[in-house]
Amino acid sequence: MTQTSTAPRSSDPGPQRAARRPGTGTTATRVLGGVTLVAIGWLVAFGLGFSPADRDQEESVRILYVHVPTIWVAYVAFVVTAVCSGIYMFSRRHSLGWDRAAGASAEIGVLFVALTLLVGALWGRLTWGVFWQWDARLTTTALLFVTYIGYLAVRRLGGSHHQRARRSAVIGMLAVLLIPLVHWSVRLWRSLHQEATVLRTDGQVRMDGLMLFSLFVGVIAFTLIYVWLMLHRTRVMAMEDALDDHGLEEALAARRAEGDRPDGER
Amino acid sequence: MSTWRIALLVAGKDLRVERRSRVVTNQVVPFAAVTMVMFAFALDADAVLQRVAPGLVWLATLFSLLVLVQRSYAIETDDGALDALRVAGVDPAALFWGKALALAVQLAVLEVILIGTAVVLYGAEVRAEGLVLLVTTLVTATCSLAVVGTLYGGLAAGFRGRETLLPLLVLPVVAPVLIGATRAVEAALGTVPGAVVSEGWPWVGLLAVFAVAFGVGGTLAFGPLIDE
């Protein structure tokens, strides 16, 4: 047919692409990564060094500085997933960027819930003597974990990007509806976990000052890790989507070029 | 036609398909019954079986729910019937409620059979003062399971791997129904020593909230889910 279809399309913007550095890092994420590393070092210093051992739990209390921040990040991640899903569904543009942010956030959330459960089981073994207890908060967290594994499975069902986005947005929003119901039902069922010590309604915090400070360092460090992972994962997802779209175009162009060859026309 | 009229038509169609194919009577009910027998093998002692009978009834119901939902959407997607319904301009909300209604009828029949099985095999007893609670629990739990099953079944319908995806999606979601319905039936039947009937009512409240939440969620979300 025309000249453009006979020439391989990829050769056109090729040299420019190759000149650009591949990867998802920018100056901003590198600075953020540096700050995150410093925060982790700070957490290690306070969590393992400066903070005192507990009167009852002794050294094992140091698990607290990982256990609480990881679940905090997981909750934040799932709220972000729900909010991004909502924005995707209800905005007029239905921008895929929101869908990718929701997916990236859910992946990181699942990772951090897994960490919380793992670390919590170890801590439970040390303080309660068992890895697992059928108490309200543990059970809710386990169900939360499975629910979002299901969400991630739905994201991989296939279909177009917008099909994926719509399906997962519905699941992302339903999951938020589900969590209070699960928590309520399991609370009615049974409860053993210690009551919240920091976020108490009467405003009094029952914790040693230095331990509390170390915990805040932990929350800051893990929140920074979340933001850093989130930026990179969202960009990787954008690249994957672009590869899906672009890869198809390339294949089509190659097939057309084959069909246009003189020996192909008989 | 009004939404309810269409919903009733869809439900009628689903039930007619089931009546003629006899899959529920020939496969799903025997499957549930054999599950109950398997529970007895696993748990062995008579006293334990009587104590946990309500939980086992609901577990068998949940497993059967997965089979029923697969079945309900297999008949839609095999011949592209779901697409045809959408092309015909059927309101997604009506479709959702129609399929949920048909599923609820099948589940209700199954639950009555399973409770009968528990009475015969596990020695559970239905007592007169708990009868109102028992019936209310069955109705609300059935509604909850039907709306959740229809919603998530519609999500997985028409995709490869739906057979394995559906249990992963549905089981965590219906965990509150399993807890609530089991406790309420325990109170109604008095299988736990010292259980009084009034303890069951808060659980029925939980089931009702669940049914309403997912009923509303399903009505709103079903359109975007299947409209692609």
Side-chain angles (χ1 to χ4, degrees):
Chain A
M1 279 194 267
T2 52
Q3 274 185 314
T4 45
S5 61
T6 47
R9 284 185 186 181
S10 59
S11 70
D12 210 20
Q16 287 174 336
R17 287 242 170 93
R20 249 177 34 199
R21 276 191 58 164
T24 53
T26 55
T27 314
T29 56
R30 280 184 210 107
V31 170
L32 182 66
V35 173
T36 308
L37 280 178
V38 171
I40 293 171
W42 199 25
L43 172 64
V44 169
F46 273 89
L48 296 179
F50 300 134
S51 74
D54 190 64
R55 190 189 60 203
D56 301 321
Q57 305 187 7
E58 298 173 1
E59 299 296 339
S60 73
V61 76
R62 297 183 195 284
I63 293 176
L64 174 83
Y65 309 130
V66 175
H67 187 64
V68 175
T70 46
I71 194 66
W72 150 257
V73 168
Y75 279 130
V76 169
F78 293 145
V79 169
V80 169
T81 298
V83 170
C84 291
S85 301
I87 295 176
Y88 173 81
M89 280 299 268
F90 297 116
S91 70
R92 198 153 298 170
R93 280 190 58 228
H94 294 295
S95 163
L96 279 175
W98 291 112
D99 166 62
R100 288 192 285 262
S105 193
E107 282 183 8
I108 302 166
V110 165
L111 171 73
F112 277 91
V113 172
L115 276 177
T116 307
L117 288 172
L118 186 72
V119 167
L122 297 176
W123 198 11
R125 176 76 186 164
L126 287 172
T127 54
W128 299 333
V130 285
F131 287 111
W132 188 262
Q133 275 287 341
W134 289 106
D135 111 290
R137 220 177 291 181
L138 261 74
T139 314
T140 310
T141 310
L143 282 170
L144 184 77
F145 183 54
V146 184
T147 304
Y148 278 93
I149 286 181
Y151 171 85
L152 294 182
V154 167
R155 289 191 72 84
R156 279 165 184 69
L157 266 181
S160 75
H161 299 328
H162 279 286
Q163 283 179 336
R164 173 197 72 193
R166 206 160 15 186
R167 274 194 305 260
S168 53
V170 168
I171 297 291
M173 287 189 287
L174 281 177
V176 168
L177 183 76
L178 177 71
I179 300 311
L181 281 171
V182 169
H183 189 69
W184 182 27
S185 62
V186 181
R187 266 276 296 278
L188 273 174
W189 185 43
R190 57 189 48 177
S191 206
L192 171 100
H193 203 284
Q194 71 181 68
E195 290 296 305
T197 28
V198 178
L199 293 173
R200 280 162 64 85
T201 44
D202 56 4
Q204 288 187 332
V205 178
R206 293 185 307 183
M207 203 186 236
D208 174 73
L210 190 53
M211 285 166 92
L212 188 65
F213 181 73
S214 307
L215 182 59
F216 282 145
V217 174
V219 170
I220 291 167
F222 277 93
T223 309
L224 285 171
I225 294 175
Y226 166 74
V227 175
W228 187 83
L229 283 172
M230 187 67 189
L231 286 170
H232 280 287
R233 186 64 189 129
T234 318
R235 286 173 188 168
V236 170
M237 281 179 156
M239 285 174 157
E240 284 171 355
D241 283 0
L243 179 69
D244 269 0
D245 299 339
H246 197 65
L248 187 65
E249 273 173 28
E250 295 280 293
L252 283 174
R255 287 288 158 276
R256 284 205 195 97
E258 254 174 40
D260 287 343
R261 274 204 310 251
D263 57 325
E265 297 171 337
R266 263 173 239 172
Chain B
M1 269 195 282
S2 74
T3 304
W4 277 113
R5 181 101 186 85
I6 301 171
L8 285 177
L9 283 175
V10 172
K13 166 198 74 96
D14 272 19
L15 290 175
R16 210 173 308 127
V17 169
E18 287 311 326
R19 201 186 66 215
R20 288 184 186 160
S21 67
R22 299 192 189 283
V23 168
V24 173
T25 45
N26 290 358
Q27 291 173 19
V28 181
V29 170
F31 164 71
V34 91
T35 313
M36 298 290 274
V37 176
M38 290 294 147
F39 283 145
F41 291 158
L43 297 173
D44 198 30
D46 285 349
V48 174
L49 275 179
Q50 199 177 4
R51 161 96 175 65
V52 298
L56 297 184
V57 166
W58 287 110
L59 264 184
T61 310
L62 286 191
F63 294 148
S64 311
L65 170 76
L66 297 174
V67 181
L68 285 174
V69 171
Q70 305 274 20
R71 167 87 192 137
S72 167
Y73 281 97
I75 57 173
E76 296 290 2
T77 49
D78 278 354
D79 303 325
L82 201 60
D83 295 331
L85 282 171
R86 263 157 42 207
V87 171
V90 174
D91 181 11
L95 196 55
F96 173 76
W97 282 107
K99 292 200 81 69
L101 196 61
L103 193 58
V105 171
Q106 297 170 43
L107 276 174
V109 172
L110 188 75
E111 282 159 12
V112 171
I113 294 174
L114 283 177
I115 287 188
T117 316
V119 169
V120 175
L121 291 182
Y122 301 167
E125 279 168 28
V126 179
R127 46 181 183 174
E129 68 261 38
L131 204 59
V132 179
L133 176 63
L134 183 66
V135 172
T136 320
T137 307
L138 284 184
V139 171
T140 43
T142 305
C143 292
S144 307
L145 294 178
V147 291
V148 169
T150 310
L151 179 56
Y152 283 82
L155 176 90
F159 287 97
R160 274 177 300 143
R162 63 167 184 241
E163 295 83 2
T164 42
L165 180 65
L166 192 68
L168 172 63
L169 288 178
V170 168
L171 288 181
V173 176
V174 294
V177 180
L178 178 63
I179 298 175
T182 304
R183 300 295 149 236
V185 173
E186 268 175 8
L189 299 185
T191 49
V192 183
V196 283
V197 175
S198 62
E199 280 174 3
W201 288 106
W203 294 108
V204 178
L206 172 78
L207 292 174
V209 170
F210 190 95
V212 170
F214 274 88
V216 173
T219 310
L220 298 176
F222 201 64
L225 272 186
I226 61 165
D227 181 31
E228 50 188 26

